[in-house]
Amino acid sequence: MPSVHIVGGGVAGFTLARELVSKGYAGNIKISDPEGLPYDRPPLSKSLQREYFVPPAWFAEHGVALIEETVTELEAPSSPDEWVVLATGTTPKKLQVPGAQHARSLHTAADASALSAALEDGMFGQRAVIIGAGLVGAEFASTAKMLGAQVTLVSNSSAPLSKVLGAEMATALHAEHSRYGITVLPGTPTQLGPDFAVVDGQRIEAEILVAAIGVEPETALAQAMGLEINDGILVDEQLRTTNHSQVLAIGDAARIKDCSRAVHWEGAMDDAAIAAATIMGGEARPHSVPWFWSDRHESHVEAVGDFSQAAQHVPRLNRRGKLQVLFGLNEAGNLVAASMIDGGQMSKAVKRLIARGYTPSIEELQDSSVGPRDLGRQEQL
């Protein structure tokens, strides 16, 4: 009987199962995941909470087998109607300093639960040192401060996330931490202990130490299966692995050959739709314009497109003279990216313009009186 075995129950793996169900797939669907019931990852660093995609009854109702297990060995399918899909996600990068084992991670629901308990059960004003000010580090710093901790945020960059937000926006957001009472410490840790961190010779006492220095693709199973790996599991446009057409890879662990690896929530959902089309022989929609978001302090931050293609940045200031939107244009002057703070519908407007290949004038991009509905209106005339 036809079957699909999905390894990994994150957003990519679960969305694939849901896509197959919605399209009437007639075979068996199985999800293997060591954490059991699939849940969404973004709320972990934003609120230290686990939010399930669907209740447990959904799986029984739709005939999807959910197995709580860690898969370390797996044979590639031998039949053309059998599929294996690797949606193994990422693992946190490890600090390479003495005492690194004393730092916690924030990557799984168990990590979030442990940190939530430490913050809630500890004394008000306990000290937390967070190493790394990217997405997870910045969001957790905001959450920990809100829960009453004294937070020190260590970063070797004055503009973390500049590759996805643009340098000017990344710099402005990083500077905001200080306004909310977080101590921002530039530098690199050289040693950790059970209750301290040493950063460029300065010893900082702390009850909670967290390392948030990024992630890398989880490829151990793919490697055991003999699949091709290079900054992710290599796949083609249909997400078939390069050396086995019945084995697909999707989400953060996968990389389309000759392209950069995409690590974002909406991209994982796009992958799931493409994988479902590959399995069922249908036509898949192309990947959408990348979209990324983050919640920190009192701000909702979004980024659209790809700032690595931007040769020119066009800032838009709000009425108080603060940066609100940063647009990115490539060498040809085409709109390829934008980042924004509390931008409302601006991200949707920019996604539409990038997808259609239309670029408003510089004056229009800079004019704060031109709202999302009016941006690019000339295109419609």
Side-chain angles (χ1 to χ4, degrees):
M1 184 171 183
S3 65
V4 178
H5 183 185
I6 304 166
V7 183
V11 63
F14 170 75
T15 302
L16 172 57
R18 186 173 59 190
E19 285 277 335
L20 292 171
V21 167
S22 69
K23 294 180 183 303
Y25 178 70
N28 295 321
I29 304 171
K30 179 172 75 170
I31 299 176
S32 297
D33 191 281
E35 296 186 77
L37 189 62
Y39 61 89
D40 208 5
R41 302 282 172 165
L44 298 182
S45 54
K46 293 174 172 64
S47 60
L48 300 179
Q49 294 180 357
R50 177 180 356 204
E51 296 182 5
Y52 296 111
F53 292 117
V54 291
W58 183 91
F59 296 89
E61 179 183 348
H62 295 286
V64 177
L66 179 60
I67 312 298
E68 188 171 338
E69 62 179 351
T70 300
V71 180
T72 57
E73 293 182 295
L74 195 61
E75 291 187 6
S78 57
S79 169
D81 60 359
E82 294 178 347
W83 300 84
V84 166
V85 183
L86 303 184
T88 47
T90 59
T91 55
K93 291 181 179 179
K94 303 293 185 183
L95 282 170
Q96 301 299 315
V97 299
Q101 71 274 13
H102 296 295
R104 304 170 184 251
S105 295
L106 179 47
H107 190 70
T108 66
D111 295 337
S113 179
L115 283 167
S116 178
L119 288 165
E120 292 179 4
D121 297 343
M123 290 175 26
F124 186 85
Q126 65 184 317
R127 298 160 296 182
V129 170
I130 303 161
I131 301 164
L135 173 64
V136 172
E139 289 183 347
F140 177 63
S142 171
T143 300
K145 183 63 180 177
M146 182 181 65
L147 293 175
Q150 298 181 60
V151 179
T152 298
L153 185 60
V154 179
S155 177
N156 58 9
S157 170
S158 61
L161 293 175
S162 60
K163 292 182 179 179
V164 293
L165 297 173
E168 296 91 333
M169 182 65 76
T171 299
L173 285 168
H174 190 56
E176 281 283 285
H177 290 301
S178 298
R179 191 165 72 85
Y180 287 91
I182 291 173
T183 300
V184 177
L185 186 63
T188 303
T190 55
Q191 182 184 357
L192 301 183
D195 55 3
F196 71 89
V198 177
V199 179
D200 291 348
Q202 179 181 351
R203 180 181 170 114
I204 309 162
E205 306 293 334
E207 287 73 40
I208 297 173
L209 296 171
V210 175
I213 58 171
V215 295
E216 53 194 7
E218 174 50 73
T219 59
L221 178 57
Q223 188 170 3
M225 296 176 69
L227 302 177
E228 189 178 4
I229 298 165
N230 184 354
D231 186 31
I233 307 165
L234 292 184
V235 295
D236 63 15
E237 295 288 343
Q238 292 183 305
L239 303 181
R240 299 175 188 262
T241 55
T242 54
N243 46 352
H244 202 297
S245 62
Q246 299 298 114
V247 179
L248 311 183
I250 62 177
D252 292 353
R255 180 169 76 83
I256 296 176
K257 202 164 188 176
D258 299 324
C259 297
S260 299
R261 187 167 57 90
V263 185
H264 56 91
W265 187 86
E266 194 171 66
M269 297 187 72
D270 287 344
D271 276 5
I274 294 170
T278 299
I279 291 167
M280 298 186 68
E283 185 174 342
R285 65 177 184 262
H287 279 94
S288 59
V289 176
W291 171 61
F292 155 93
W293 84 98
S294 175
D295 293 319
R296 53 175 79 187
H297 305 301
E298 299 173 353
S299 299
H300 179 67
V301 181
E302 294 179 84
V304 178
D306 183 1
F307 266 101
S308 70
Q309 299 180 26
Q312 176 186 1
H313 293 172
V314 179
R316 173 184 286 202
L317 307 182
N318 63 18
R319 294 176 181 177
R320 294 173 293 171
K322 297 185 68 173
L323 181 63
Q324 184 173 27
V325 185
L326 184 69
F327 297 99
L329 309 181
N330 64 14
E331 291 184 354
N334 300 320
L335 180 65
V336 293
S339 58
M340 60 217 70
I341 301 172
D342 299 327
Q345 298 297 309
M346 182 62 77
S347 63
K348 291 184 179 180
V350 174
K351 282 187 72 172
R352 183 187 69 247
L353 292 172
I354 293 175
R356 294 179 179 177
Y358 180 81
T359 302
S361 67
I362 299 292
E363 292 76 18
E364 192 176 354
L365 293 176
Q366 290 180 321
D367 189 349
S368 60
S369 69
V370 179
R373 290 184 179 180
D374 297 324
L375 190 67
R377 175 166 284 187
Q378 290 298 320
E379 177 195 25
Q380 304 169 21
L381 300 178

